[in-house]
Structures are given as structure tokens and as C-alpha cells.
Amino acid sequence: MADPEAEDRKPQSDEARSAFSPPAGVAAPGPAVADEESSTTSEFALPDGLDALQPPGPEQEGSAFSTPRTYNARQAPPAFTPATGIPLVSLTKDAPWQDRMRTMLRMPVTERPAPEPVHKEDESGPAVPRVLDLTLRIGELLLAGGEGAEDVETAMFAVCRSYGLDRCEPNVTFTLLSISHQPSLVDDPVTASRTVRRRGTDYTRLGAVYRLVDDLSDPETAISLEEAYGRLAEIRRNRHPYPGWVLTASGGLLAGAASVLVGGDAIVFVAAALGAMLGDRLAWLCAGRGLPEFYQFTVAAMPPAAIGVALTLAHVDVNASAVITGGLFALLPGRALVAGVQDGLTGFYITASARLLEVMYFFVGIVSGVLLVLYFGVKLGTQLNPDAGLSLSERPVLQIAASMLLSLTFAILLQQERSTVLAVTLNGGVAWSVYGAMHYAGGISPVASTAVAAGLVGLFGQLLSRYRFASALPYTTAAIGPLLPGSATYFGLLSIAQNEVDKGMVSLTKAAALAMAIAIGVNLGSEISRLFLRLPGGSAGGRRAAKRTRGF
């Protein structure tokens, strides 16, 4: 019988021995030392001194590949509390609901205070889908009326909280409204949306909607859901405060007042008024036939330009440039421009892009109508000199009166309430007085003068809206009418029609700069009024920015 030890002592061939086995007489190497540079270990190996991972227990965090477990509040890790503590949010009762709701919208959801107890129809309260539907309908009227996206979100948030719905997140884009409500962290959210397909300018209806939201936000006023629906239906059924013939006459007076601002006389006033009224009637005819607004603006811009060209061909001693410029004032989309820039400054970039694109289409429509008439006028031998219209005579008293008339007629075109017409008329006169004092008397550039005047318009408009707990649009939109860049737009189009493209582009660039100065000035004036007035949430760390993009 063979001895096993003897077999082991026999020499083995190279094929029977591994190339990595130590030779005879050499001891087997021990475990690798951690501090040796030449030792190689796996990157998944545990360092010395650590035990192998155990299966995750109730108080141990598991691996990303381990089976998830159900969250249990009793076995949850201790919550983290900042060293400075959690700030207490207190909302002052005497602040307008717009400021209170805007403050909460700019807070994270976890920091918003819980809604106060509200009047309930029964123990369960109003149905959540019905509240969301009412909220969307109110937001639709505000957005269709030209209100800014942040103000629409603020009103929607106020309606939800007035009926005790916490954890609501409204979202506003140019054509779509949506709102989501999550009762708790473990319940499924309820989401509803509504599409805005038609838009109309009626600031009387806008003011009524603001009063409804103000009443709903008042904790001392108990309005049931059915009563709110009834008031909203009454707001929708109300007719416009001014008939069609008053709107047409207001458009004519607006054009006549604008022509006086740029150096026109009585004949120019009448000619510009007739051109604007004829363009308004043609636009109404196109609207009744279902044509898009682009073609409506194109048709409305042609009669004032045609009357100016006809007066020049007839060798009538009038300023034809003032006639055409006055007709353009009634068409420039100042309201949409201000709303678009305001949405961009407050962080609603999608809505701002859509609004500004709408403004661009309207402007292109106006350009097309005027350029078509001017092109045929130049072919017929019309001698329209752009430089002749730039020498404006300084008539401060007459120009201030014309600016106030322009603001008054603009307010009527916007279907404003009669109680707001006087305030916006005075606001427009102040805006032109500041612009004239800075530009004509002080020699300051028109862009800077326009920005300062528009800033005062926004400041006074915001103060008046806070006093009446209403929207700021009725107090600002009509007041910026005298500042609109009608003359710069016309002179740019005339230069292009006369084949002076470079000169025309310079003038159109100036018109764009003036328009941006108006929009930014109005928004800056509104923000300055909020900056220095008392705001809610003073103990919560100050006023928050609209959108925190860089952490400031």
C-alpha cells in the first residue's frame, strides 16, 4: 500500500504545478498589508476594521439594491431642526389679499401656514372638484382679460385657500390653466385644467372678478360655493359698459389726440379721427367674418395711412405724418406688451414668450398695412418727408390736454369702470408732463424719459389698486397711451417704403427700445411700491423673490 506522504514528496512536473503556487521551501504569503503600496486589492473589498454589511434593520439605511421597506413614522430617524430654529410665518390681516397670497406662493409648500377655518356648508365641506372648477373659471376670466400670470396664480391660490384647500399648486401658461390639490402626503392628488380659447378686453369684468376674489378671501365674509358660482355667472352675463358706437368714437378721438401730441393741428385732428374710425369699422367687419386678428390689424392700419397719403397728393397744407402717426396710436398693442414683459420679469418665461410673440404678430400686421399704403403712395409720387415730422413744436398746455384726452378715450376702449376713468386720465397727464419736462426741457434721451414716466405710472397705478383692493391694469394700461412709440414706428416704416432700409431699421429699433422702456418702467414702478409698503410675512425672513434662479 502506497504511503501518501511519500507521494507528496515526489517531484511534480511543471504541468502539474500552478504557475502562481509558491516554490518548495517558500512560505505562503500572508494577508496583504494595507499600507503597502505594492499590494493590490479589489475596490469593493472592505477596509480593515470594518465588519461585513448586515441586512438593513429598522434603524439602518439599506443599499440602493436592497428591497425597499414601508415607511413607518414610529421607526423614522430623528428629524433635523436648523440651529436657528424654524421661522414662524405670520400674515398680517390688514395687507391686501394679493400680497398675502403672493407671499405664500413664493414660499415652499412645507413652509406655508395652514388655512384658517372657513365657513362650511356641512361637516365635510364643499366638494374638492367643484372648488377647483370655480378656481379655474375665475382664472380663465383674469387671464383672458390680460392679467399677468403671477396675478392669475395669486387669485387662483386665494380662491382655493378661502375654501380650506391646502397644498394647492396653480399653474398658468398662455392658453392653459391647471391646478393640483393634494389633501395629504399619502393621498392621491386631484388635478384639473382649463383651456383659454377666447380673449377679450373688458376691465369692468376684470374688476368684478377681483371684487369676488376679495370677498372670498375675507375671513369675516362667508360665501358658499353656490353663491360664488352665482356671482361668477352674473359677471359673465353682464354686458359691456359702453356700446359699439362709443368705442368707435373713442378710437377716433384717441387718434386725434395722438396726432396733436406729435405736432398736428385741427385739420390733422379731424383727419386722424376719421381714419381711425374707418379702420375700426373695417376691423369689426373682418372680425365678424372670422378673420384672424393679424388681418384685422392689417386692415385697421390702412385707412389712416391712406388718408395721409391722399392729403399729400391733394397738396393740402397739413402734416400728413401726424395723421398716420395718430392712427397708429390706436392700434399699438401696449397692453399685451406690458403683460408680456411683466411675465418675463416675474419668471413666467413660457407665458412671456407667447405674449411677446403675439405682440410681434400684431406689430407685423400693422407694418404690413401701413407699408402697403405707403408703397403705393410713393409710386404715385407722394412726397412724404420723415424729417419734417420730427420737428415737434413745444406746446405744453395743449399737449398735456391731448395726453389726458388720449388716456380717457383709451380707458373707454378698454371697457373700464366709470369710477376709474378719472384716475387713469390724471395718471396719463402726469406721465406726459414728466416725459415732456425730462425730454423737451431737460434734454434727456427719449428712452430714459419714457422709462421714468412709465415708472411713475406703475407706481401710482399700484397704489390706487391697493387702495381699492383691485387690479392695477385699469390704472396703468390707459395711462401709458401717450408714451407709446407711434411716431418712431411710422418714421421707420416710411424710410423702408422709400428704400432707406438702414434708416428705417434704426427708427424701428428706437421704437422697440421705447416699448421695452414702457413695459419695464411700469413693472419697476409696481415693484417699488411693494418694496416700501408694508408686506405680510415679516417674521419669515423678508420678502422672497419671484423666481430664485441663482440663489439670491
Side-chain angles (χ1 to χ4, degrees), residues 81 324 333 351 477:
T81 302
I324 303 176
T351 307
T477 305

Side-chain angles (χ1 to χ4, degrees), residues 101 104 109 112-120 124-136 156-170 179-184 190-192 225:
M101 297 301 110
M104 284 190 286
V109 180
R112 295 174 184 171
E116 300 177 358
V118 296
H119 173 74
K120 295 184 178 181
S124 60
V128 173
R130 294 269 291 168
V131 175
L132 297 184
D133 178 71
L134 175 67
T135 303
L136 290 173
M156 294 173 63
F157 190 72
V159 175
C160 287
R161 289 186 65 88
S162 63
Y163 287 102
L165 298 188
D166 197 8
R167 298 182 179 274
C168 289
E169 288 296 332
I179 188 168
S180 177
H181 167 64
Q182 190 174 12
S184 65
V190 180
T191 304
L225 192 62

Side-chain angles (χ1 to χ4, degrees), residues 262-348:
V262 294
D265 52 10
I267 299 178
V268 172
F269 181 93
V270 175
L274 291 178
M277 288 189 290
L278 180 59
D280 180 78
R281 288 294 90 190
L282 291 177
W284 275 101
L285 180 62
C286 294
R289 299 295 181 179
L291 290 179
E293 285 185 306
F294 176 86
Y295 302 105
Q296 298 175 24
F297 274 82
T298 302
V299 172
M302 295 175 69
I307 291 179
V309 171
L311 291 176
T312 304
L313 289 175
H315 301 288
V316 180
D317 188 15
V318 295
N319 191 350
S321 299
V323 176
I324 303 176
T325 302
L328 291 180
F329 264 85
L331 300 176
L332 293 178
R335 173 182 56 88
L337 175 66
V338 172
V341 175
Q342 179 182 357
D343 289 341
L345 294 176
T346 52
F348 294 85

